Amino acid sequence: MSLQRLREEVLDANLELVQRGLVVFTFGNASGYDPASGKVVIKPSGVPYEQLTPENLVISDLDGRIAEGSLRPSSDLPTHLALYRAFPGVQGVVHTHSRYATAWAQAGVEIPCLCTTHADYFRGPIPITPSMEAGDIHSAYEWNTGQVIIRRFAGIDPLLTPAVLVAGHAPFCWGASVTEAAHTAVIVEEIAHMAYLTVTIRADAESLSDALRDKHFLRKHGSSAYYGQS
């Protein structure tokens, strides 16, 4: 993919967050990674979404060195870079402060797998990180946010569990493209809302059975998937 095409895709993903009601004002950001060039395209910091153009997005390398753009990149760039470096196959990252997913993050509770809608996308709970230590917050905070996510995913395939709640903060989502990552961010908010309503109606609601969870996940993912068109 050319960097111009990636710029356009990253712009579309950022605007999708607004259209879906996942961000307000200048909250949130989306980025895309091109492995061929080693470049990352990301939203500039603090710029209103209605002012975004492909040309004012910022391009950096995986070390955070700015390659193109006169504006400062999103302050969350180091978190995005940490995930690209640690999770092979991830080529898009999206961060929002969407209402219900953020509420679960504020509560410090993973989102349980309570329904088949959840299981269509995640083969189990959406994990939450531990709270960050003061030293990690005071030094290289955004980079260390990435590190706490990476540590939480020890033993977890990030391509099969493409989202996390950062405790006390908000969700990060990712995927094989920035378009896919934005789609996941929409799904995470919908799942978070439904889970909130479920536990409000019945606090002791049980997680989906393993059999039903796996059936819904595996019919959409993996070599034996049969959902949709080939």
Side-chain angles (χ1 to χ4, degrees):
M1 180 185 295
S2 70
L3 283 179
Q4 181 58 33
R5 179 68 190 94
L6 184 58
R7 284 179 186 267
E8 294 166 357
E9 188 177 357
V10 170
L11 175 62
D12 288 345
N14 275 287
L15 296 181
E16 180 79 1
L17 305 183
V18 178
Q19 292 162 4
R20 299 288 184 171
L22 302 187
V23 297
V24 296
F25 296 114
T26 60
F27 291 11
N29 41 74
S31 74
Y33 171 52
D34 173 37
S37 65
K39 297 295 192 297
V40 173
V41 179
I42 194 166
K43 176 183 177 289
S45 179
V47 175
Y49 285 87
E50 62 270 20
Q51 296 179 16
L52 291 180
T53 67
E55 291 69 32
N56 65 20
L57 299 179
V58 182
I59 299 179
S60 84
D61 64 18
L62 284 179
D63 293 318
R65 291 185 290 260
I66 303 304
E68 294 184 36
S70 59
L71 300 175
R72 287 188 296 177
S74 166
S75 58
D76 291 310
L77 174 62
T79 308
H80 291 235
L81 297 179
L83 299 180
Y84 289 133
R85 292 165 69 106
F87 294 163
V90 168
Q91 295 181 29
V93 174
V94 166
H95 172 49
T96 76
H97 286 251
S98 59
R99 184 171 294 114
Y100 286 90
T102 298
W104 286 91
Q106 290 175 172
V109 179
E110 66 182 14
I111 303 176
C113 185
L114 298 172
C115 67
T116 59
T117 306
H118 183 130
D120 283 338
Y121 292 89
F122 295 89
R123 198 177 182 180
I126 298 175
I128 187 162
T129 69
S131 297
M132 293 179 67
E133 300 290 338
D136 289 336
I137 295 168
H138 295 313
S139 174
Y141 167 63
E142 290 83 5
W143 174 259
N144 287 328
T145 299
Q147 299 310 305
V148 76
I149 295 171
I150 293 163
R151 289 194 295 271
R152 179 64 182 84
F153 272 70
I156 300 174
D157 185 339
L159 291 179
L160 295 181
T161 305
V164 70
L165 306 178
V166 176
H169 188 174
F172 282 82
C173 306
W174 50 80
S177 69
V178 65
T179 301
E180 186 176 301
H183 178 86
T184 297
V186 175
I187 295 301
V188 166
E189 178 62 7
E190 183 69 12
I191 289 170
H193 191 176
M194 289 189 293
Y196 167 80
L197 294 174
T198 301
V199 299
T200 300
I201 294 167
R202 180 182 167 190
D204 62 346
E206 296 183 357
S207 295
L208 214 59
S209 71
D210 290 353
L212 189 54
R213 178 202 65 202
D214 290 352
K215 179 64 177 178
H216 271 260
F217 184 83
L218 294 173
R219 72 177 187 167
K220 294 186 73 170
H221 305 274
S223 59
S224 298
Y226 60 87
Y227 177 89
Q229 305 302 312
S230 59

